[in-house]
Amino acid sequence: MSISIKTPDEIEGMRIAGRLGAEVLDYITPFVKPGVTTGELDRLCHEYMVQVQGTVPAPLNYAPPGYPPFPKAVCTSVNDVICHGIPGDKVLKAGDSVNIDVTVITKDGFHGDNSRMFLLGEPTIQARRLAEVTYECMWLGISKVKPGAHLGDIGHVIQQHAEKNGYSVVREFCGHGIGKVFHEEPQVLHYGRPGTGEELKAGMIFTIEPMINAGRREIREMPDGWTIKTKDRSLSAQWEHMILVTETGYEVLTTSAGTPPPPAIVLNKDAVPA
Ligand code: MF3
Ligand code: CO
Ligand code: CO
């Protein structure tokens, strides 16, 4: 077993998939407002994928060993839901924070997997800060990606930043290799030690998708077989990008007109003070 190195044709297919995945999040953004149901957001995303893009949602009927088929097109994870929330009748209200996780499959069979946080109305300072720090965690991880680096470098910087801010890192779920297969090697842990784990090589493609809890890291699985919540009912946040290892560093594949810019903590990391 080993981590696949994508061919130039596969990389081109994954660029297209990544852009389309990101464009679904752009499309849904204006609809994420108080009063909308998560089921309506799912219906709109699904319709956009199939009718406008000609893609199909990877989550729909996705059933890894031990899981029932996922019944919807996207995941909507609200407040203390860590991941894999199933869209339904839940009405979003001011102050909620929701992660929408979209994975498209293109007509050529490539997966575009990404997620963003949405804060509704006037979010609490705590919700805003958790989403912000989680975004920084994802980007600090991304900034470590280059040939010769190790997966543990990514996990380490994410864990450091989360814990320094008083937060905890979910251990049960991780980033993953991706291509024509939704989830493949490697597992990209969001915690770890520098210099450990697989060495990165140009042509690898994987996601970085830290799930960060405001409270303790322990999880609770809901009886629907999918929804994961924080055990202590604290808020949880997540962001996800799909990353290509290039000869010199990284390329973010899940990029569109509406992609939020990298945070200052990454842009200014190597800046020399005046
Ligand atoms: N998109 C999720 C990920 O980042 C996986 C969701 S699986 C589903 O890996 F079936 F819940 F949609
Ligand atoms: Co995802
Ligand atoms: Co993913």
Side-chain angles (χ1 to χ4, degrees):
M1 300 293 275
S2 62
I3 306 171
S4 76
I5 303 296
K6 268 62 179 179
T7 66
D9 281 356
E10 289 172 322
I11 289 170
E12 200 38 50
M14 288 298 283
R15 282 198 183 100
I16 294 166
R19 178 175 49 79
L20 290 166
E23 284 175 353
V24 177
L25 290 171
D26 290 359
Y27 164 74
I28 203 63
T29 298
F31 297 102
V32 189
K33 291 278 138 60
V36 76
T37 65
T38 53
E40 178 67 1
L41 296 175
D42 176 79
R43 191 189 66 74
L44 287 163
C45 287
H46 194 173
E47 184 178 80
Y48 185 78
M49 289 183 230
V50 173
Q51 311 286 343
V52 178
Q53 294 188 323
T55 63
V56 297
L60 187 60
N61 295 315
Y62 184 60
Y67 285 81
F70 192 83
K72 295 288 177 178
V74 304
C75 299
T76 51
S77 300
V78 184
N79 296 335
D80 64 337
V81 177
I82 295 170
C83 64
H84 301 164
I86 301 175
D89 298 335
K90 186 177 180 64
V91 180
L92 297 181
K93 58 181 195 311
D96 282 344
S97 57
V98 56
N99 172 279
I100 303 181
D101 191 333
V102 166
T103 310
V104 301
I105 309 175
T106 64
K107 62 172 178 10
D108 296 330
F110 294 103
H111 289 74
D113 182 8
N114 68 158
S115 79
R116 296 180 195 159
M117 291 300 294
F118 298 86
L119 304 178
L120 286 87
E122 290 282 310
T124 62
I125 287 168
Q126 294 94 305
R128 209 185 309 239
R129 187 169 156 266
L130 176 65
E132 238 171 62
V133 169
T134 304
Y135 190 62
E136 292 172 346
C137 283
M138 175 185 70
W139 265 102
L140 286 167
I142 292 170
S143 71
K144 290 290 164 192
V145 173
K146 63 176 180 196
H150 291 256
L151 284 174
D153 302 347
I154 299 171
H156 179 70
V157 72
I158 291 171
Q159 181 180 12
Q160 283 273 308
H161 192 61
E163 292 178 356
K164 185 180 78 191
N165 281 280
Y167 299 147
S168 63
V169 177
V170 172
R171 308 286 177 111
E172 288 83 351
F173 301 92
C174 56
H176 51 92
I178 185 165
K180 286 197 170 177
V181 175
F182 193 175
H183 294 103
E184 61 182 31
E185 284 189 68
Q187 296 196 45
V188 182
L189 304 182
H190 302 115
Y191 59 93
R193 305 302 314 165
T196 66
E198 290 272 359
E199 184 178 325
L200 304 186
K201 296 191 169 56
M204 291 178 176
I205 295 178
F206 51 80
T207 69
I208 299 178
E209 49 180 303
M211 286 142 277
I212 306 297
N213 297 347
R216 296 173 56 83
R217 67 175 176 82
E218 285 79 11
I219 69 168
R220 218 157 34 105
E221 300 177 30
M222 296 298 107
D224 63 24
W226 276 102
T227 307
I228 305 295
K229 293 188 179 186
T230 58
K231 191 172 181 184
D232 66 5
R233 292 174 163 74
S234 64
L235 277 185
S236 187
Q238 179 178 30
W239 293 82
E240 175 175 26
H241 266 317
M242 216 166 60
I243 309 298
L244 165 69
V245 185
T246 65
E247 296 295 339
T248 54
Y250 63 83
E251 180 181 326
V252 178
L253 298 178
T254 32
T255 299
S256 61
T259 304
I265 195 172
V266 165
L267 289 176
N268 298 340
K269 204 161 47 87
D270 301 316
V272 180

